[in-house]
């Protein structure tokens, strides 16, 4: 294929072609519920499942359909750690807090595995491990120290792969070495979110699709303090509200919207590859990402397509950002894997990530409403985990949530109302940083 144009591929999400999403709850809304959850992705559905299993009357409200947001659009990489490295975390929060955060990231993968097993979700969950590859010698040189800190502080042994051994991990010669973490996993995210939705419904939760939450106001009903929610399918009273809207957070929750930067991320998927070529590209079927700020992440799908993603355009998904990103990603993919030069790209899609101003997850209570946001591209496992943690907190369980009490900064001088006018500048800044660092 010479140049990729909008007409050369199907501008749609590959994962959605592998799954049937469950249908939401038909009919009218109940008059009142114990907990109203806004957003039917990993966060909201994990919380709904836990709350319903504990006997709460729960209603999830979703503007679109179950799993419509980032949860069905992502790379399906279930990764250890967080977006920020442990040394940055330790410098900012101290080593004790960092230990608890890191432990939460490991527990979050165990939780996904446990839910997949308990609910018998067929989503190709597999502990295939992840590989980080160094784009520069200086990046590779810093790996020894990171691996040493993780071994000393967290008792976990990651493996450094020198350049001359990389072919055992990846069929590309452009990198300077890598690190392997065997604990990370891969999943088909659309099948996983569909399974979480089914599990929440089975446990007794209502899930109202095409039900945009437009307003949330404090209210009292039968002597109970709570909230009145106005939605596009009607209104109801809820004792508690949990906002799980991630990069799609809107004016319905203005305080939270001001704390979240929605950033686009895009993916292409090729046609199915012959077994031998797939094996050459990724002999151990790892989840792979590179060491740049403006990074590429890629993996094989369970049916041997190369799925290749990146922050090709910083703005959220539209047909034009998807089209431009598909071209950029295809060039990037061939840069990594010249073997794919003549392979067809069959799918291209985008989704919106949620970055907080400190690049950290945050889960707690603001204005009397619960929230869990800020996954910064590491949300498959963490969203599942923080959804469950907040659900437990709402049910009165006092358990540790290492992201509950850390400072939750907004924009400097309050210069942000939820419209990320600075994204082009941030994009340019990170490109320069990748060039010089
Ligand atoms: C392209 C891409 C690739 C990614 N790759 C990875 C990866 O490989 N590994 C990883 O760990 N993470 C990855 N992520 C991040 C991960 O997908 C997210 O962190 C995670 O899905 C967040 O889940 P969530 O339930 O919080 O939000 P979402 O799944 O985004 O769900 C939020 C939902 O809220 C709904 N909503 C918003 N406002 C309202 C309202 N007012 N009323 C009703 N409903 C509302 C939206 O319609 C949406 O469906 C990726 C993200 C993207 C976009």
């Amino acid at each position: 294929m010479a140049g990729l144009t909008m007409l050369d591929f199907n501008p749609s999400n590959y994962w959605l072609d592998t799954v049937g999403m469950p249908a939401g709850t038909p009919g009218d809304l109940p008059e009142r519920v114990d907990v109203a959850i806004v957003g039917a992705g990993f966060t909201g559905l994990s919380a709904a499942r836990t709350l319903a299993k504990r006997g709460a009357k729960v209603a999830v409200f979703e503007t679109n359909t179950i799993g419509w947001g980032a949860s069905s659009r992502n790379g399906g990489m279930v990764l250890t750690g967080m977006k920020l490295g442990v040394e940055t975390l330790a410098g900012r929060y101290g080593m004790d807090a960092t230990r608890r955060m890191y432990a939460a990231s490991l527990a979050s993968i165990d939780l996904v595995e446990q839910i997949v097993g308990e609910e018998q979700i067929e989503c190709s969950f597999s502990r295939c491990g992840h590989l980080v590859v160094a784009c520069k010698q200086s990046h590779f040189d810093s790996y020894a120290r990171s691996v040493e800190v993780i071994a000393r502080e967290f008792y976990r042994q990651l493996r450094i792969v020198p350049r001359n051994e990389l072919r055992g991990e990846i069929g590309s010669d452009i990198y300077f070495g890598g690190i392997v973490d065997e604990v990370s996993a891969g999943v088909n995210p659309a099948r996983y979110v569909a399974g979480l939705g089914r599990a929440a419904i089975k446990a007794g939760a209502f899930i109202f699709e095409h039900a945009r939450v437009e307003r949330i106001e404090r209210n009292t009903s039968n002597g109970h303090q709570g909230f009145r929610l106005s939605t596009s399918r009607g209104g109801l009273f809820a004792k508690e509200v949990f906002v799980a809207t991630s990069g799609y957070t809107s004016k319905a929750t203005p305080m939270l919207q001001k704390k979240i930067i929605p950033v686009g991320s895009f993916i292409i998927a090729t046609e199915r590859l012959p077994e031998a070529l797939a094996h050459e590209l990724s002999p151990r079927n790892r989840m792979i990402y590179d060491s740049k700020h403006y990074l590429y992440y890629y993996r094989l799908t369970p049916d041997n397509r190369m799925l290749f993603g990146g922050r090709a355009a910083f703005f959220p998904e539209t047909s034009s950002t998807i089209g431009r990103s598909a071209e950029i990603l295809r060039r990037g993919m061939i840069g990594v894997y010249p073997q794919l030069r003549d392979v067809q790209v069959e799918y291209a899609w985008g989704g919106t990530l949620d970055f907080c101003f400190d690049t950290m997850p945050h889960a707690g209570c603001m204005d009397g409403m619960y929230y869990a946001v800020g996954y910064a591209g590491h949300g498959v496992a963490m969203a599942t985990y923080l959804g469950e943690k907040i659900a437990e907190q709402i049910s009165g369980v006092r358990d540790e949530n290492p992201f509950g009490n850390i400072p939750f900064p907004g924009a400097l001088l309050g210069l942000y109302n939820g419209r990320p006018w600075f994204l082009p500048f941030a994009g340019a800044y990170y490109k320069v940083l990748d060039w010089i660092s």
Side-chain angles (χ1 to χ4, degrees):
M1 182 164 58
L4 180 80
T5 71
M6 281 291 288
L7 299 175
D8 289 316
F9 65 91
N10 179 5
S12 69
N13 176 348
Y14 157 73
W15 297 120
L16 291 181
D17 276 359
T18 67
V19 66
M21 286 288 169
T25 312
D28 295 337
L29 309 188
E31 271 179 29
R32 45 185 291 144
V33 290
D34 296 322
V35 186
I37 297 174
V38 193
F42 298 139
T43 307
L45 296 173
S46 165
R49 169 182 175 273
T50 303
L51 284 160
K53 284 193 170 203
R54 288 175 171 273
K57 188 169 177 185
V58 189
V60 182
F61 294 95
E62 169 55 54
T63 302
N64 299 286
T65 46
I66 291 172
W68 175 90
S71 297
S72 65
R73 299 164 186 252
N74 60 74
M77 304 191 174
V78 191
L79 304 172
T80 56
M82 272 145 291
K83 176 72 184 164
L84 297 179
V86 291
E87 286 159 87
T88 309
L89 294 173
R92 199 188 278 177
Y93 304 108
M95 193 48 90
D96 278 351
T98 303
R99 267 196 213 100
R100 290 194 291 274
M101 291 174 185
Y102 196 84
S105 93
L106 300 180
S108 72
I109 303 179
D110 293 344
L111 178 64
V112 173
E113 189 168 35
Q114 181 199 321
I115 293 175
V116 166
E118 268 175 31
E119 306 292 349
Q120 298 184 8
I121 304 174
E122 284 180 24
C123 57
S124 308
F125 179 91
S126 133
R127 293 269 190 175
C128 49
H130 83 247
L131 169 71
V132 197
V133 279
C135 297
K136 294 185 179 178
Q137 184 62 42
S138 58
H139 298 181
F140 182 70
D141 292 342
S142 70
Y143 286 176
R145 162 118 187 101
S146 304
V147 168
E148 190 247 312
V149 171
I150 288 173
R152 190 183 63 231
E153 302 293 342
F154 311 118
Y155 309 109
R156 297 201 54 238
Q157 200 54 58
L158 309 190
R159 184 163 57 84
I160 292 192
V161 187
R163 189 172 196 169
N164 62 359
E165 290 174 20
L166 259 191
R167 273 276 166 171
E169 291 286 343
I170 179 172
S172 173
D173 295 319
I174 67 166
Y175 297 111
F176 290 79
I179 304 182
V180 168
D181 187 333
E182 301 281 355
V183 169
S184 295
V187 74
N188 174 330
R191 280 172 161 259
Y192 174 51
V193 76
L196 265 184
R198 274 192 200 95
I201 292 167
K202 193 174 93 193
F206 303 112
I207 304 180
F208 295 107
E209 297 179 306
H210 306 293
R212 179 200 306 276
V213 173
E214 284 155 358
R215 248 189 353 270
I216 308 174
E217 292 158 319
R218 284 194 184 271
N219 197 274
T220 308
S221 168
N222 296 340
H224 282 116
Q225 298 281 334
F227 298 88
R228 179 93 200 146
L229 279 82
S230 309
T231 86
S232 49
R233 275 179 68 173
L236 94 171
F237 174 85
K239 284 192 218 153
E240 306 288 358
V241 173
F242 180 9
V243 185
T245 46
S246 188
Y248 298 92
T249 301
S250 68
K251 286 199 298 254
T253 50
M255 288 305 287
L256 203 55
Q257 190 188 20
K258 282 184 197 163
K259 304 239 182 195
I260 295 172
I261 311 162
V263 174
S265 191
F266 298 85
I267 297 182
I268 54 175
T270 65
E271 63 185 303
R272 292 175 71 159
L273 305 175
E275 184 66 42
L277 177 57
H279 184 76
E280 178 191 332
L281 301 180
S282 183
R284 293 169 190 269
N285 204 12
R286 303 285 192 207
M287 303 291 114
I288 307 175
Y289 59 92
D290 73 32
S291 60
K292 295 193 301 295
H293 292 96
Y294 231 86
L295 84 176
Y296 291 134
Y297 51 91
Y298 45 100
R299 58 170 290 181
L300 294 171
T301 60
D303 65 349
N304 277 348
R305 298 166 192 273
M306 175 51 64
L307 183 150
F308 197 91
R311 229 149 281 153
F314 250 67
F315 279 111
E317 67 277 14
T318 60
S319 55
S320 96
T321 54
I322 293 173
R324 269 186 285 128
S325 300
E327 300 210 27
I328 294 168
L329 289 173
R330 181 175 172 273
R331 281 199 298 273
M333 179 179 76
I334 291 170
V336 175
Y337 291 124
Q339 305 93 313
L340 295 180
R341 185 172 301 282
D342 296 321
V343 161
Q344 281 286 340
V345 170
E346 290 191 348
Y347 295 88
W349 70 96
T352 304
L353 307 171
D354 56 340
F355 275 75
C356 294
F357 284 87
D358 57 359
T359 325
M360 287 298 289
H362 292 274
C365 197
M366 186 192 293
D367 291 345
M369 286 185 272
Y370 293 90
Y371 61 86
V373 291
Y375 306 112
H378 280 237
V380 175
M382 195 51 88
T384 307
Y385 178 82
L386 290 180
E388 181 167 293
K389 282 284 156 215
I390 291 293
E392 286 172 348
Q393 195 176 332
I394 293 173
S395 323
V397 177
R398 285 193 180 277
D399 196 9
E400 221 233 331
N401 160 14
F403 308 100
N405 291 322
I406 58 174
F408 192 171
L412 267 183
L413 308 172
L415 289 173
Y416 180 58
N417 62 1
R419 276 215 206 122
W421 52 268
F422 44 78
L423 280 186
F425 304 105
Y429 169 73
Y430 284 119
K431 275 189 179 154
V432 172
L433 213 58
D434 278 335
W435 189 45
I436 59 174
S437 67

